[in-house]
Amino acid sequence: MKKADVVVIGGSAGGIPAAIGCRRRYPEKSVILIRKEEQVLIPCGIPYIFGTLGSPERNLIPDTVLENNGIELIKGKAEEIDRDRKAVSIIGGDTVSYDKLILATGSLPLILPIPGIDKENVFAIEKDVKYLKNMLDVINKAKDIVVIGGGFIGAEFADECKKNRDNNVTIVEMLPHCLQLAFDDELCIEAEKVLTERGIKILSNKTVEAILGDKQVSKVRLSSGQELKADVVIVGVGAIPNTELAEKAGLRIGTSTKAILVDRYQRTTEDPNIFACGDCVAKVSFFSGKPTRIMLASIATGEARIAAANLFETRYLGLGGVGVFSTKLGDLSLGAAGLIERQAREDGYNIIVGESTAVNRHPGGMPGAVSTKVKLMFSKDNGVMVGGEASGGVCVGELANVISACVQHRMTAYEVSLFQMGTHPALTTSPMLYQIVNAAEIAVGKL
Amino acid sequence: MKKADVVVIGGSAGGIPAAIGCRRRYPEKSVILIRKEEQVLIPCGIPYIFGTLGSPERNLIPDTVLENNGIELIKGKAEEIDRDRKAVSIIGGDTVSYDKLILATGSLPLILPIPGIDKENVFAIEKDVKYLKNMLDVINKAKDIVVIGGGFIGAEFADECKKNRDNNVTIVEMLPHCLQLAFDDELCIEAEKVLTERGIKILSNKTVEAILGDKQVSKVRLSSGQELKADVVIVGVGAIPNTELAEKAGLRIGTSTKAILVDRYQRTTEDPNIFACGDCVAKVSFFSGKPTRIMLASIATGEARIAAANLFETRYLGLGGVGVFSTKLGDLSLGAAGLIERQAREDGYNIIVGESTAVNRHPGGMPGAVSTKVKLMFSKDNGVMVGGEASGGVCVGELANVISACVQHRMTAYEVSLFQMGTHPALTTSPMLYQIVNAAEIAVGKL
């Protein structure tokens, strides 16, 4: 029987920062991390294996991050948690006892309950090197690729599968638009335009009824009756929290989220010695406090930092998920932070919108200049910014983070319009046209 | 005699947003903008005329921004303000009466009082198309270029003058490092390394004693006795507020700043009907409230928005200058917001520093990946973030703005370490390594 002050189960975006956070906050404590994977993939990098990167090996998190932080790694699948004895048993291996335990067991791809889903060359997005290697081989040879689901994963997969290949890529999305859960319609339309220009076919408002073929997939049949040729099907319809271990240990699971329930300290509601973070954990919205189903590596790392800090002393309080996203499709980058307009209206806000578009360099002849659009949402009642969206060049990734900083501080339109930004010809929009400030100033005029 | 509700004097980074802001806030008011230039240059873009852009015409602000906002333009030099009659006379032209006046007369290049400064081919940075056109012609033919001053303007000019030309470019800087007023030493050294690798010679800790030659410059003599060959000398040693008109009108000028004194509403201390913004105006620090000499187009636009909003009703309150900068030299981008470590210590802060370096994509094999460094400064006493610096790829421009948002909201290390950022493989650092959050978490451990 092994022993550590802290045991972390899970070795990805939740587990690694949880283990490192613990070593940072409580350097005198020993930490063991148990994970089932031989090698760990960067979760958000998985679509890029299929185009930009070219192999799963180019998308790994090196184990040195654990070694460098004095964290012991055990490769093996945790079988059971004995809460009375405070010990984790590993399949075919040792038992490890803990003082504090952090669960970071992540999520599993959602499998659609449709006929033929188990045929060969139908792939979900498994976080496993061997699986992805095989998937890459099959995609390299495929002529007709059907992607089920036009969310981030589906859209990014479609975009990557099209790179340097002569093939037909089709996205089947049940909602009216791709990326509709993340962005307002106008941004979705912008994204769809880019995908279409890249030669990707988008079938929206469509559901898949069956996957056809003998052993291997050959066609996808939609509910409309339409049939699509398919050598490969990629299913990117979301993920479900991996709570098997937690459930077996008698920890509570949320009814709507199907995820492990924790308090704002990331402590499980039943066991003060067990914390949890990442995709396996139920989240609440920064805005309403209601359960929310956002699963993001960035949120996982934030929860991991909180869990780690609170292990032996309550130090950190989670604020709920703001929801900050970004992606890049073709040459278009898109980002959002907080509530998009549609969500804000659904939540009952009386919303004022400020919008501003300008080139992201000044003058427009500077290299890398791309038109960049910002849309900000404010509550008409108190002027507080509840969210924003951006589209344009690669710095939209950090622009979404500027918006996030304003949202997290519940800045008002008035305050955002006074935001002091730095600008430079080769790096940003001109100070006169800086979109966040202009959009806020326009919103102030409407309040 | 012409007449407008609002008259703005100055047509650049202060005047334009002041005029537009007025039209936005008080759409029923008429606005006349008086400016002396035939065409207006983007001030920060001027160095790029000499390399990246290739001509002053590619760095203009089109007059359509005025037309589109219903602003009347008068080209002419304002001669005098008659405060009793509330009218501005224009040299060789009309008199324009106002209800409210905004002064945005900008700055003039500082001329060094050294022998030979008036020789031919010695250039200051005049914001004038003809002047810059001649300067470009001379630089195109020059073999030996000496840049006096290694601040932003000097460093950017040196970098641009070296582009696509076979010449010798030397920077003479009186301080130990280039960019020393903007960045801590380690960033200055990084910048100097880039400039040196680009073939630019840097002579620091050196002052210029005289500019030699017959009619034209041929040499620059340093105080050390060293002489540098020079076909061209570019003087980039700073700017002084252009307050001639204000002084003639009896408005008060600050003793240390030599700039027009205004209150936090951007209203001149003597005349409630006259506002002022931009380089011609005295500023105070966001931190200490003490006078500060930062001159930035971004600050000018912020002051302009405040001035415009407050013309007929007090609506906006300035917070003092945070100081947010960025620049790009070679392929290295540098940015800062708030106090750098040196300034914070000079101001008496007991400072905790958190630093974090990581590649700005994930995995590191994604296109555009560059190592990006963030350094954050916090007060040890209350944990509040007082500033930060970054260096790396082009998104450092927006990264400095994320830092600025945190500083302006006086976020603590604790809060910044919980900052919810969005991340994406093609756009940002990985969530585990996101530098701002990691640097803050490291700082929390030291508090």
Side-chain angles (χ1 to χ4, degrees), chain A residues 104-387:
Chain A
T105 48
S107 56
L108 301 167
L110 179 62
I111 308 297
L112 287 177
I114 47 173
I117 192 82
D118 52 351
K119 287 196 191 302
E120 250 176 50
N121 296 352
V122 177
F123 295 98
I125 320 300
E126 301 278 357
K127 293 164 191 151
D128 179 86
V129 173
K130 261 194 206 157
Y131 180 93
L132 295 172
K133 240 181 183 162
N134 173 43
M135 187 171 167
L136 177 59
D137 285 343
V138 173
I139 285 173
N140 280 336
K141 288 174 213 143
K143 180 74 190 159
D144 296 291
I145 299 175
V146 173
V147 179
I148 305 180
F152 282 114
I153 291 287
E156 290 172 357
F157 255 94
D159 194 28
E160 290 294 308
C161 286
K162 195 74 199 168
K163 280 186 184 160
N164 309 315
R165 292 188 186 97
D166 177 25
N167 58 15
N168 305 309
V169 178
T170 305
I171 296 174
V172 181
E173 168 58 50
M174 59 184 253
L175 296 173
H177 290 295
C178 289
L179 303 175
Q180 193 164 334
L181 298 179
F183 300 118
D184 282 321
D185 289 4
E186 58 272 28
L187 251 71
C188 298
I189 292 167
E190 235 188 297
E192 288 172 335
K193 194 165 162 276
V194 167
L195 291 171
T196 306
E197 283 167 1
R198 303 246 311 103
I200 294 158
K201 203 166 155 185
I202 299 169
L203 301 175
S204 45
N205 285 313
K206 295 278 186 301
T207 51
V208 172
E209 196 180 73
I211 294 172
L212 310 175
D214 293 331
K215 229 176 105 197
Q216 278 186 11
V217 55
S218 62
K219 280 181 189 170
V220 169
R221 189 167 67 220
L222 307 184
S223 308
S224 61
Q226 189 183 351
E227 288 186 355
L228 310 170
K229 275 179 71 182
D231 306 319
V232 178
V233 171
I234 300 168
V235 185
V237 292
I240 49 167
N242 179 10
T243 58
E244 193 193 340
L245 208 57
E247 283 186 76
K248 259 205 279 185
L251 299 173
R252 266 182 70 206
I253 306 299
T255 41
S256 72
T257 57
K258 311 285 184 216
I260 304 168
L261 290 176
V262 293
D263 59 21
R264 295 226 169 203
Y265 312 117
Q266 297 298 133
R267 200 184 283 131
T268 58
T269 45
E270 290 70 32
D271 193 328
N273 295 314
I274 305 184
F275 293 72
C277 59
D279 282 0
C280 63
V281 170
K283 294 145 201 348
V284 294
S285 159
F286 173 81
F287 302 95
S288 64
K290 285 188 297 190
T292 169
R293 296 201 55 180
I294 324 171
M295 286 182 190
L296 289 168
S298 53
I299 289 192
T301 61
E303 291 175 348
R305 290 173 204 276
I306 295 171
N310 290 333
L311 283 171
F312 297 95
E313 196 178 298
T314 300
R315 295 178 175 183
Y316 265 36
L317 179 69
L319 301 171
V322 170
V324 195
F325 310 94
S326 50
T327 189
K328 186 170 177 238
L329 299 169
D331 288 327
L332 178 72
S333 300
L334 304 126
L339 302 177
I340 58 176
E341 186 182 358
R342 195 189 315 116
Q343 291 166 341
R345 295 203 188 278
E346 280 168 11
D347 265 15
Y349 281 95
N350 187 357
I351 283 293
I352 290 295
V353 172
E355 287 178 281
S356 176
T357 302
V359 80
N360 63 346
R361 300 282 185 272
H362 57 290
M366 290 292 287
V370 181
S371 175
T372 299
K373 190 191 298 178
V374 168
K375 173 180 175 182
L376 303 179
M377 274 61 74
F378 301 89
S379 157
K380 191 172 167 63
D381 298 293
N382 57 23
V384 170
M385 180 154 141
V386 297

Side-chain angles (χ1 to χ4, degrees), chain A residues 24 44 48 156 305 316-317 320 322 326 395 398 401 404 408-409 411 417 420 422 424-425 434 438 441, chain B residues 24 44 48 156 305 315-316 320 322 326 395 398 401 404 408-409 411 414 417 420 422 424-425 434 438 441:
Chain A
R24 238 179 223 173
C44 313
Y48 300 93
E156 290 172 357
R305 290 173 204 276
Y316 265 36
L317 179 69
V322 170
S326 50
C395 294
E398 293 302 346
N401 290 331
S404 176
Q408 281 171 63
H409 263 262
M411 284 172 78
S417 74
Q420 294 185 39
H424 187 270
Y434 192 76
N438 261 290
E441 198 178 47
Chain B
R24 238 179 222 172
C44 314
Y48 300 93
E156 290 172 356
R305 289 172 204 275
R315 296 177 175 184
Y316 265 34
V322 169
S326 50
C395 294
E398 294 301 345
N401 290 331
S404 176
Q408 281 171 62
H409 263 263
M411 283 171 81
Y414 166 88
S417 74
Q420 295 185 38
H424 188 271
Y434 192 76
N438 261 290
E441 199 179 46

Side-chain angles (χ1 to χ4, degrees), chain B residues 171-192:
Chain B
I171 296 174
V172 181
E173 168 58 50
M174 61 185 250
L175 296 173
H177 290 294
C178 288
L179 303 175
Q180 193 164 335
L181 298 179
F183 299 117
D184 284 321
D185 290 2
E186 59 273 26
L187 252 71
C188 299
I189 291 168
E190 236 189 297
E192 287 172 336

Side-chain angles (χ1 to χ4, degrees), chain B residues 106-166:
Chain B
S107 56
L108 301 168
L110 178 63
I111 308 297
L112 288 176
I114 47 175
I117 193 81
D118 53 351
K119 287 198 191 300
E120 249 176 52
N121 297 352
V122 178
F123 296 97
I125 320 299
E126 300 278 358
K127 293 165 190 149
D128 180 85
V129 174
K130 261 194 208 158
Y131 181 92
L132 294 172
K133 240 180 182 161
N134 173 41
M135 187 171 168
L136 178 59
D137 285 343
V138 174
I139 285 173
N140 279 336
K141 288 175 213 141
K143 180 76 189 157
D144 297 289
I145 299 174
V146 173
V147 179
I148 305 180
F152 281 114
I153 292 288
E156 290 172 356
F157 255 94
D159 194 29
E160 290 295 309
C161 286
K162 194 73 201 168
K163 280 185 184 161
N164 310 315
R165 292 188 186 97
D166 176 25

Side-chain angles (χ1 to χ4, degrees), chain B residues 110-345:
Chain B
L110 178 63
I111 308 297
L112 288 176
I114 47 175
I117 193 81
D118 53 351
K119 287 198 191 300
E120 249 176 52
N121 297 352
V122 178
F123 296 97
I125 320 299
E126 300 278 358
K127 293 165 190 149
D128 180 85
V129 174
K130 261 194 208 158
Y131 181 92
L132 294 172
K133 240 180 182 161
N134 173 41
M135 187 171 168
L136 178 59
D137 285 343
V138 174
I139 285 173
N140 279 336
K141 288 175 213 141
K143 180 76 189 157
D144 297 289
I145 299 174
V146 173
V147 179
I148 305 180
F152 281 114
I153 292 288
E156 290 172 356
F157 255 94
D159 194 29
E160 290 295 309
C161 286
K162 194 73 201 168
K163 280 185 184 161
N164 310 315
R165 292 188 186 97
D166 176 25
N167 59 14
N168 304 311
V169 178
T170 305
I171 296 174
V172 181
E173 168 58 50
M174 61 185 250
L175 296 173
H177 290 294
C178 288
L179 303 175
Q180 193 164 335
L181 298 179
F183 299 117
D184 284 321
D185 290 2
E186 59 273 26
L187 252 71
C188 299
I189 291 168
E190 236 189 297
E192 287 172 336
K193 193 164 163 276
V194 167
L195 291 171
T196 306
E197 282 166 1
R198 302 245 313 102
I200 294 157
K201 201 166 157 185
I202 299 168
L203 301 174
S204 45
N205 285 313
K206 294 278 186 300
T207 51
V208 172
E209 195 180 74
I211 293 172
L212 310 175
D214 292 333
K215 227 175 109 197
Q216 279 186 10
V217 55
S218 62
K219 280 183 192 169
V220 169
R221 188 166 67 218
L222 307 184
S223 308
S224 62
Q226 188 183 353
E227 288 187 355
L228 310 170
K229 276 180 69 181
D231 306 319
V232 179
V233 171
I234 300 167
V235 185
V237 293
I240 48 169
N242 178 10
T243 57
E244 192 192 342
L245 207 57
E247 283 186 78
K248 260 205 279 186
L251 299 173
R252 266 182 68 206
I253 305 298
T255 40
S256 71
T257 56
K258 312 283 184 218
I260 304 168
L261 289 176
V262 294
D263 59 23
R264 295 227 169 202
Y265 312 117
Q266 297 299 133
R267 201 184 281 131
T268 58
T269 45
E270 290 71 33
D271 192 327
N273 295 314
I274 304 184
F275 293 72
C277 59
D279 282 0
C280 62
V281 171
K283 293 145 204 343
V284 294
S285 159
F286 173 82
F287 302 96
S288 65
K290 285 188 295 189
T292 169
R293 297 201 56 180
I294 323 171
M295 287 183 190
L296 290 168
S298 53
I299 289 191
T301 61
E303 291 176 348
R305 289 172 204 275
I306 296 171
N310 291 333
L311 282 170
F312 297 95
E313 195 179 299
T314 300
R315 296 177 175 184
Y316 265 34
L317 179 70
L319 301 171
V322 169
V324 195
F325 311 96
S326 50
T327 189
K328 186 169 178 240
L329 299 169
D331 289 327
L332 179 73
S333 300
L334 304 126
L339 303 176
I340 57 175
E341 186 181 356
R342 194 189 315 114
Q343 290 165 340
R345 295 201 188 280

